[in-house]
Amino acid sequence: MKDRLGVLISGRGSNLQALIDAIRDGRLDATIALVISNRDDAAGLERARAAGIETLTISHRGWPSRDDHDRAIVRELRARDVGLICLAGYMRLVGPPLLEAYPNAILNIHPSLLPAFPGIDAQRQAIAHGVRVSGVTVHLVTSELDNGPIVLQRVVPVLDDDTAETLAARILVEEHKTYPEAVSIVLAGGWRVEGRRFLRSASAASASPSRLPAGS
Ligand code: GAR
């Protein structure tokens, strides 16, 4: 079912927590059916358990191929009738078995204004490049890393005295607001993908308008 979410994590799980909180507070009409981590020491697993959500660790190690790992994940998600996958700090490339099982139904959150600074250490890359603004992107997942049609972006200014850590902390505040909102937009339907563009119908956009960028 569409509003049954599967959340994939690898670590801290603060974006998972943001989704849990948004559902609890009634800002997001969905159910997290399952949280899967590829690492058994991911702190996010504890956050899920504390919220009474089923968890599984499916290590990426020990499978004959990357696809076999992905297929195992698909089996578990399908068994729980998951309709939308949210990557929340899941530090693995998503392969064909997952993409084919969930076409246009996998979301990722990334701490930069994509297509700038994909990959790891996006905030450090932004500081090193000297950009004046960075931010957060939620996008549909394709086979390319941190790529795919953009559902929502929020801008975060980069300050002269920012370090990667201070910038990451300010971006994270926006991430936690942006991810539940983007999931709501996708679950509400009334959108289509044209080329690289994620386009909402006028009625869908007016039913759940997205907030203005931070600082505007
Ligand atoms: C978040 O900043 C997320 O945007 C980033 O990993 C962090 C996970 O934190 N994701 C990526 O860089 C994806 N390429 P969390 O585990 O506390 O949600």
Side-chain angles (χ1 to χ4, degrees), residues 78-91:
R78 284 215 164 124
R80 284 139 186 105
D81 207 14
V82 162
L84 182 68
I85 301 174
C86 299
L87 308 185
Y90 182 64
M91 296 307 184

Side-chain angles (χ1 to χ4, degrees), residues 90-102:
Y90 182 64
M91 296 307 184
R92 305 274 307 160
L93 261 181
V94 168
L98 262 166
L99 290 167
E100 284 160 20
Y102 286 91

